Amino acid sequence: MLQLNSAVHARTRLAEPETRDASAPARGRVGDVQFTVTSDLAALAGEWRRFEQHADCTVFQCYDWLSAWQRHVGERLGAAPAIVVGRRGGEIVCILPLAVQRRTGARQLCFLGRELGDYNAPLLAADFTSAHGGDFPALWHAIRASLQADPQYRHDVILLDKMPAQVGAQPNPFLQLAVNLNPSGAYAVRLEGDWETFYAAKRSSATRRRDRTKRKKLAESGDVRMVTPETAGDIALTLDALFRQKSKAFARMGVEDVFARPGYREFFHELATGERTRQLAHVSRLQVDSTFAATNFGLRFRGTYSHLIASYDDGPLSRFGPGAAHLHDLMRHAIEHGCTVFDFTIGDEPYKRDWSDSEIELYDHVAAATARGAAVAGTLAALRATKRALKHSSLIWPLIVRLRAMRASLRKRPEPAKGQDSEP
């Protein structure tokens, strides 16, 4: 168990910011855990990659995912990595992948890559909870003190969001802090048996019959096959189709096109084609003759297939459910490649609930770190509580979705020519 003695600031051994070497990592100690804080991701690459092979974590805590995010997105956002590495006797017991970003006029302490990580969490040694997890707030208090003592890590508000209750086989220690439910949940299903057995168990005979009819209709337009591209050029072609399809879908829904944000497309391209990252990424398409009828980007890690981004062509073939047909092929692919869990990740879309046998509740920790951050923290907490209430209203949220789509449709409507009536 972690014990914090009465001289907590002495235990953390924090040098004054004026005299500390700015290039040296911040460091501290709580009980038998020593920790350092560094912004140098590259210096940790070897240790981090070795640790993630056996640590409890999700794919979104992998070094290669986060380092690619920092290169393509984080640096453009001005995110400063604040990676906390805890050790006992020289062995790593935890990595907390944190960062400091400036948002809404305040410096925010958050998880590195939080915008694109569906699950934000620490990496934990298998025995972390039994050996050190009993008093995580004490360790967190010392880490916070160390961060605030270093000018590059000082922050006004803390936003640790989308945290699962479990990290691998262990309770998430961050849930020992004050937390509230995130506005969204996540969903997953355990894959058992072969595809036909699993499919029959999850879908009624009437539903399977409708699925066969739709696939037959797709086949009337050409050869239907799922393609997993292998070359960098073909992967890029499929990803570009996915981005186009998603951008059009976002426009129809009246929401921001996230793939227009700086660095996002480059990030996914590197993941899908990079020498180290392509083993994590899975890009595929459902092709009907030459048409990319549906596309996806997924992740494979430790027997879990994470269904991250998917879309479909909105042309004539969309009537026959190419997205659903592609999902069936992806589940078959996951089963045939030894995956035991199909993770639909964050989002409350009805189709996820239909397939899933487990809901993953996600939690947020929002707190002020300075007087300046108090108003920001209060606003963030209130907005998240309101959004959750709205999203879980069976009356209000569908209305919001319809109104948003209607507004988008009106914006796309062409202006009447001069001298013409705008009425039909």
Side-chain angles (χ1 to χ4, degrees):
M1 304 287 281
L2 294 171
Q3 297 295 327
L4 195 68
N5 70 12
S6 57
V8 62
H9 296 295
R11 293 289 297 272
T12 53
R13 300 183 305 187
L14 299 176
E16 290 298 318
E18 294 80 11
T19 60
R20 195 180 68 77
D21 180 358
S23 65
R27 57 184 71 241
R29 182 186 183 97
V30 178
D32 61 353
V33 175
Q34 295 177 312
F35 66 84
T36 57
V37 186
T38 181
S39 61
D40 191 349
L41 277 169
L44 293 173
E47 284 189 303
W48 192 325
R49 288 188 179 116
R50 286 191 294 273
F51 185 60
E52 73 187 32
Q53 294 305 309
H54 57 82
D56 280 334
C57 62
T58 80
V59 67
F60 302 105
Q61 284 76 59
C62 287
Y63 174 85
D64 292 308
W65 168 276
L66 289 175
S67 61
W69 181 90
Q70 179 62 18
R71 277 192 301 278
H72 294 293
V73 181
E75 289 179 4
R76 289 171 169 166
L77 293 176
I83 312 302
V84 181
V85 181
R87 302 174 191 268
R88 183 185 65 230
E91 296 294 323
I92 296 178
V93 295
C94 66
I95 297 177
L96 314 185
L98 305 175
V100 177
Q101 296 177 219
R102 182 169 289 279
R103 292 288 182 85
T104 60
R107 287 168 61 83
Q108 185 181 99
L109 178 67
C110 58
F111 281 103
L112 185 69
R114 62 166 288 268
E115 292 86 350
L116 286 172
D118 282 14
Y119 305 126
N120 295 318
L123 299 91
L124 305 174
D127 64 345
F128 183 86
T129 298
S130 59
H132 311 289
D135 194 14
F136 181 76
L139 178 60
W140 180 242
H141 177 85
I143 291 169
R144 285 276 327 288
S146 184
L147 292 170
Q148 291 293 58
D150 190 320
Q152 68 176 320
Y153 303 132
R154 285 179 189 159
H155 51 278
D156 302 298
V157 64
I158 304 165
L159 173 58
L160 305 176
D161 63 344
K162 296 183 286 185
M163 297 189 293
Q166 291 285 124
V167 182
Q170 304 182 65
N172 188 342
F174 276 99
L175 266 65
Q176 295 181 42
L177 309 179
V179 296
N180 291 299
L181 282 168
N182 185 273
S184 300
Y187 301 85
V189 62
R190 182 158 292 280
L191 303 173
E192 296 178 335
D194 59 20
W195 161 248
E196 295 300 337
T197 303
F198 172 78
Y199 180 46
K202 297 297 294 184
R203 285 291 178 264
S204 68
S205 58
T207 299
R208 298 198 305 276
R209 188 163 53 249
R210 284 194 296 271
D211 290 343
R212 287 193 298 271
T213 299
K214 287 185 176 182
R215 194 165 187 114
K216 184 178 179 182
K217 291 288 186 182
L218 283 173
E220 290 173 0
S221 298
D223 181 38
V224 180
R225 63 194 186 281
M226 190 182 96
V227 177
T228 295
E230 298 294 338
T231 67
D234 201 12
I235 291 170
L237 195 68
T238 306
L239 276 179
D240 289 340
L242 171 60
F243 297 148
R244 286 195 303 272
Q245 291 171 359
K246 286 301 286 186
S247 295
K248 292 175 76 172
F250 290 142
R252 289 194 300 272
M253 293 186 290
V255 299
E256 179 197 3
D257 178 5
V258 297
F259 295 110
R261 293 179 183 176
Y264 273 45
R265 294 188 180 211
E266 294 87 344
F267 168 71
F268 285 106
H269 272 289
E270 178 177 334
L271 287 174
T273 61
E275 183 180 347
R276 287 189 174 274
T277 53
R278 65 186 305 170
Q279 63 184 340
L280 292 175
H282 176 245
V283 175
S284 73
R285 61 184 184 258
L286 185 76
Q287 194 164 329
V288 181
D289 270 359
S290 61
T291 300
F292 292 9
T295 50
N296 95 295
F297 178 96
L299 297 169
R300 296 174 294 201
F301 183 66
R302 292 189 185 170
T304 293
Y305 189 101
S306 298
H307 189 49
L308 210 59
I309 312 166
S311 196
Y312 60 89
D313 183 84
D314 63 351
L317 294 178
S318 63
R319 294 176 297 159
F320 308 125
H326 192 202
L327 177 61
H328 297 169
D329 287 352
L330 285 170
M331 289 183 173
R332 182 197 295 270
H333 170 91
I335 290 171
E336 291 176 351
H337 285 77
C339 292
T340 57
V341 175
F342 195 91
D343 188 349
F344 293 96
T345 67
I346 194 170
D348 295 298
E349 294 87 346
Y351 83 92
K352 296 182 179 182
R353 295 179 185 270
D354 288 347
W355 280 100
S356 298
D357 54 23
S358 62
E359 179 176 358
I360 303 164
E361 291 187 331
L362 303 174
Y363 295 85
D364 301 340
H365 170 69
V366 182
T370 64
R372 181 181 185 181
V376 176
T379 301
L380 281 173
L383 287 173
R384 285 168 176 270
T386 301
K387 185 176 180 180
R388 179 170 175 81
L390 292 174
K391 287 194 73 173
H392 286 259
S393 168
S394 58
L395 295 176
I396 299 175
W397 189 248
L399 179 61
I400 291 173
V401 172
R402 286 198 297 272
L403 289 174
R404 196 166 56 191
M406 187 182 301
R407 183 177 63 181
S409 177
L410 291 172
R411 284 177 177 171
K412 287 167 58 179
R413 187 172 295 175
E415 294 289 331
K418 257 189 181 179
Q420 287 186 344
D421 242 325
S422 60
E423 294 295 325

